[in-house]
Amino acid sequence: MGKRIVIIGGVAAGPKAASRIKRVLPEADVTLIDQDNLISYGGCGIPYYVSGDVSDEQELRSTSFHMVRDAYFFTQAKGVRTMTSTRALAIDRREKTVEVEDLGTGVRSAIPYDNLMLATGSQPFVLPIPGNEADGVFTISDLHKAIEIKKRIARGMVGKAVVIGGGAIGIEMAEALTDLWGIETALVEYMDQLLPKIVDWPMASALANHLRQHNVEVYLGEAATEIVVDNGKAVGVRTGKRTIDADMVIMAVGVRPRSQLAREAGLNVAANGGIVVNDRMQTSDPSIYAAGDCVEIRHLVSGRGLYAPLGSLANKEGRVAADNMAGIPAVFKGGIGSFVMKAFEMSIGATGLSLEMARAQGFQAESSLTASADRAHFFPGSEIICLELVFDRRTRKVLGFQGIGPMNDSLSVRIDAAAVAITAGATIDDFATIEMAYAPPFSTAIDAINSAAYAAENLCDGRMRQIDIESFLAWLADPATQPDWVALDVRHPKQAQPNIEKFGAERWLSLPYDKVRSGYQVLPSDKMMIIVCNAGSRSYESQIALDAVGLRNTLVLPGGYNMIKRIDADILV
């Protein structure tokens, strides 16, 4: 008999590990156990199934060659003994057995192992509020619930919906409900921004604005306090500020590692609930491995524990665990939480630490904010991508990278390049010389990622002084907050004129970029001038020119008009 390997969990990491083991150690006796009857599906694709982008749930469970990944597939095609609708109850580490129960018959049995792998995944967090178990309240936890959600929508049972939670899944579900089905959808997030701790305020605010432009009501800084129930059915959501009618409520407030089995077996579990593993994906018991949404990995920037429930990481972790169980040395060093998502016509992504999180973890962090063309400006279809590069002022290391862009691959290409560089410990100087494949239909000669690094260099070396966007917007809304500020618009006078009319000539000055060096004498020396252009580059050059003649009373608006208009389309004309 070959080596006995038992894997608990059949969604992502488990099937990957089982299949890998049978490829490198064909004689192994591999058993895959899952309590569900649907296994090996793309959970990240659930919102796209609900939206109709993926028409049939079987597509989420199928291979690229159109075979459904079910028990028959894994048993016959992969050679893996597959036990679905079977719950793992307990691990006996001394005897090296797993007690399981057949959910159909209730029969219990013990399965011996030489190596055990836990791929028990995650479970959705359910808000402890009244009405959370009412009919019509759903979490996005498995394919069964997704099928029921789509069934109700297709039957015309849902005219209004509330999504609780402004993370990636919540945003994707809000788009799915609104875009295809035309459901009146509201998104409620208790933090003051979407994607909290993942992206910073400017990017999150641009995303919220984009959702509102596409008929999703977005309520920030509001906690859901109650699901309103009538005759056992959810009919609304109550927050501290309002009651929102709903025929369906989607609770998308995050997930937690499903680690109870590991904890009861005495394995080390982190404070966040993730199973503690080493870089070989071994738990505190050398015979037991773990991978996927149930584990905590190492953050390669901060060095701290990272909980990153992503299918991409789960598959990589599963492969490493499989190799080690098969006797092939392999390591998984950790991750940096790279992600990208779409929201209507916008893409948003990030890798590494946000500015907020970097500062919270003790880094001397600053960030550059740029708005650049995603391909040569003269090429048809060129669009703007806004990028933020987070760096440590002391070491110059890049800590994180994030951005928003059009719904194409222009942002993900830059996020991917940044992820590789950050993982390798790159500095802002390294980012300045990253070589991106160049041709006008795909990129610019000085790529957007290089421009973000140039701005970071200028900030780090003290050549540029900038204002944060929140302060600028607060001043626009209420000049009394900074009575000594004025805007200096260095775009064409025709572009500046509408804002002069809106804010008054005493608050909005116009001096075109090509006139700054010769006409600076008209500018005030007793006001702080916020220099505004479309992207920020002309503002920086104007600041340098004014510094040279002794007018250092300037701050650059990073990202310029391009960024501001994405955050608030109406505040500037």
Side-chain angles (χ1 to χ4, degrees), residues 228-408:
V228 183
V229 180
D230 184 15
N231 291 325
K233 294 184 178 182
V235 296
V237 172
R238 187 166 289 134
T239 74
K241 297 180 180 179
R242 72 193 81 239
T243 298
I244 311 166
D245 293 338
D247 305 305
M248 177 181 287
V249 177
I250 306 293
M251 200 174 288
V253 290
V255 297
R256 303 292 184 270
R258 198 186 299 271
S259 55
Q260 183 177 353
L261 199 62
R263 185 180 288 106
E264 291 174 351
L267 301 177
N268 286 349
V269 175
N272 63 15
I275 302 170
V276 176
V277 292
N278 62 17
D279 61 6
R280 298 180 61 199
M281 304 311 297
Q282 275 178 311
T283 69
S284 52
D285 183 328
S287 297
I288 302 177
Y289 292 74
D293 290 6
C294 61
V295 305
E296 178 187 75
I297 60 175
R298 179 173 175 266
H299 197 296
L300 295 177
V301 175
S302 70
R304 301 186 182 189
L306 169 66
Y307 181 57
L310 297 167
S312 55
L313 292 178
N315 276 276
K316 295 177 181 67
E317 295 160 8
R319 181 186 171 97
V320 169
D323 280 358
N324 284 299
M325 288 188 285
I328 302 172
V331 297
F332 181 80
K333 295 180 180 179
I336 56 175
S338 303
F339 104 103
V340 67
M341 63 173 290
K342 72 178 287 287
F344 299 99
E345 282 80 51
M346 176 181 283
S347 61
I348 184 167
T351 187
L353 299 174
S354 66
L355 178 62
E356 176 191 6
M357 291 304 296
R359 287 175 171 171
Q361 295 187 17
F363 291 98
Q364 295 179 21
E366 299 292 343
S367 69
S368 68
L369 186 60
T370 53
S372 304
D374 65 343
R375 63 204 72 221
H377 68 275
F378 54 78
F379 195 86
S382 174
E383 296 194 50
I384 296 296
I385 51 175
C386 300
L387 301 175
E388 180 182 349
L389 188 152
V390 181
F391 61 93
D392 186 286
R393 184 178 285 277
R394 181 177 58 85
T395 64
R396 302 178 74 88
K397 274 195 174 183
V398 178
L399 307 175
F401 191 79
Q402 59 186 266
I404 56 172
M407 190 40 243
N408 57 31

Side-chain angles (χ1 to χ4, degrees), residues 16-190:
K16 166 57 86 175
S19 300
R20 172 67 174 172
I21 290 168
K22 292 299 290 187
R23 286 195 288 269
V24 298
L25 195 67
E27 69 274 17
D29 177 16
V30 181
T31 301
L32 179 66
I33 301 167
D34 198 282
Q35 64 184 0
D36 204 343
N37 66 324
L38 301 178
I39 59 172
S40 193
Y41 56 83
C44 296
I46 285 176
Y48 305 106
Y49 163 67
V50 174
S51 72
D53 290 324
V54 177
S55 60
D56 190 326
E57 56 85 13
Q58 282 201 1
E59 294 179 46
L60 298 180
R61 299 190 288 126
S62 297
T63 67
S64 59
F65 46 88
H66 309 298
M67 285 190 71
V68 176
R69 296 189 300 264
D70 54 13
Y72 172 87
F73 171 79
F74 282 102
T75 300
Q76 298 299 320
K78 298 294 187 180
V80 174
R81 182 161 68 113
T82 306
M83 303 172 66
T84 57
S85 300
T86 302
R87 178 176 292 136
L89 301 176
I91 301 167
D92 187 330
R93 292 167 54 194
R94 183 186 297 274
E95 297 296 324
K96 285 195 169 184
T97 61
V98 178
E99 183 185 4
V100 301
E101 178 185 0
D102 185 311
L103 297 178
T105 64
V107 174
R108 297 189 177 190
S109 59
I111 302 177
Y113 67 84
D114 297 310
N115 279 128
L116 172 66
M117 175 178 159
L118 301 177
T120 45
S122 61
Q123 56 193 3
F125 181 71
V126 177
L127 287 175
I129 58 176
N132 61 6
E133 296 183 353
D135 180 49
V137 179
F138 292 91
T139 56
I140 307 300
S141 57
D142 57 46
L143 201 47
H144 297 282
K145 292 189 177 181
I147 292 169
E148 178 60 23
I149 289 171
K150 192 167 183 178
K151 185 186 299 182
R152 293 191 181 199
I153 294 171
R155 289 177 177 174
M157 300 169 63
V158 184
K160 297 181 179 181
V162 174
V163 178
I164 304 174
I169 293 295
I171 294 165
E172 288 171 337
M173 287 302 298
E175 178 192 8
L177 296 171
T178 307
D179 198 26
L180 176 70
W181 301 102
I183 294 169
E184 292 183 34
T185 306
L187 182 62
V188 176
E189 166 57 48
Y190 85 100

Side-chain angles (χ1 to χ4, degrees), residues 188-193 219-223 239-241:
V188 176
E189 166 57 48
Y190 85 100
M191 298 288 281
D192 63 358
Q193 69 162 74
Y219 300 109
L220 301 174
E222 295 190 32
T239 74
K241 297 180 180 179

